[in-house]
């Protein structure tokens, strides 16, 4: 049986960092931490997270602390996230969906489609309403 694979957006990563994920999304992250699932994040989503951390953004009432490097370590180096760089396959998908989404959402959906992941971990209603398989609640 294939290992379940998911795409996470920046919001999911930020909420993970402050331990505020809803039950269903938290379960997927726990599976990834245990090596039972893979969570990929487009490089653009990770860049958004590092930017937010550099600005001490408030996430769900919790102030982000630490440095962008601390966040990268917690997510990628020592955490459950696999980096999914944007390549030509994602750009082909991006070109086909860019009209329906914001730049960030389109890159997440393009990565999900090009890499054929099982679902997108996101709270974004636009992605959900577009019929993309999502996990959040």
């Amino acid at each position: 049986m294939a290992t379940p694979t998911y795409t996470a957006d920046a919001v999911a990563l930020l909420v993970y960092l402050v331990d505020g994920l809803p039950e269903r999304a938290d379960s997927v992250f726990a599976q990834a931490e245990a090596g039972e699932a893979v969570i990929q994040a487009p490089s653009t989503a990770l860049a958004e997270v590092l930017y937010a951390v550099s600005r001490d953004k408030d996430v769900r009432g919790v102030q982000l602390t630490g440095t962008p490097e601390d966040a990268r370590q917690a997510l990628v180096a020592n955490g459950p996230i696999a980096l999914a760089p944007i390549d030509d396959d994602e750009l082909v998908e991006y070109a086909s969906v860019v009209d329906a989404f914001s730049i960030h959402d389109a890159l997440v959906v393009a990565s999900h489609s090009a890499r054929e992941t099982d679902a997108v971990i996101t709270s974004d209603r636009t992605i959900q309403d577009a019929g993309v398989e999502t996990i959040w609640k």
Side-chain angles (χ1 to χ4, degrees), residues 91-117:
L91 291 176
V92 167
E93 291 293 330
Y94 180 78
S96 72
V97 301
V98 69
D99 290 339
F101 299 100
S102 70
I103 186 172
H104 303 288
D105 289 351
L107 287 166
V108 168
V109 170
S111 183
H112 160 68
S113 296
R115 295 173 183 273
E116 298 179 346
T117 62

Side-chain angles (χ1 to χ4, degrees), residues 12-101:
L13 300 177
L14 285 166
V15 177
Y16 170 79
L17 286 174
V18 299
D19 197 28
L21 290 169
E23 185 177 335
R24 202 162 159 233
D26 192 50
S27 175
V28 171
F29 272 82
Q31 290 170 24
E33 291 169 345
E36 299 167 357
V38 174
I39 300 175
Q40 301 176 353
S43 52
T44 54
L46 186 59
E48 286 181 71
V49 170
L50 301 183
Y51 182 86
V53 170
S54 77
R55 302 303 190 266
D56 291 326
K57 184 177 178 180
D58 178 272
V59 176
R60 308 266 167 141
V62 177
Q63 192 73 22
L64 291 171
T65 60
T67 67
E69 176 57 16
D70 293 337
R72 189 196 67 77
Q73 289 279 332
L75 292 169
V76 181
N78 303 320
I81 304 303
L83 187 60
I86 301 298
D87 63 18
D88 194 51
D89 291 337
E90 278 83 3
L91 291 176
V92 167
E93 291 293 330
Y94 180 78
S96 72
V97 301
V98 69
D99 290 339
F101 299 100

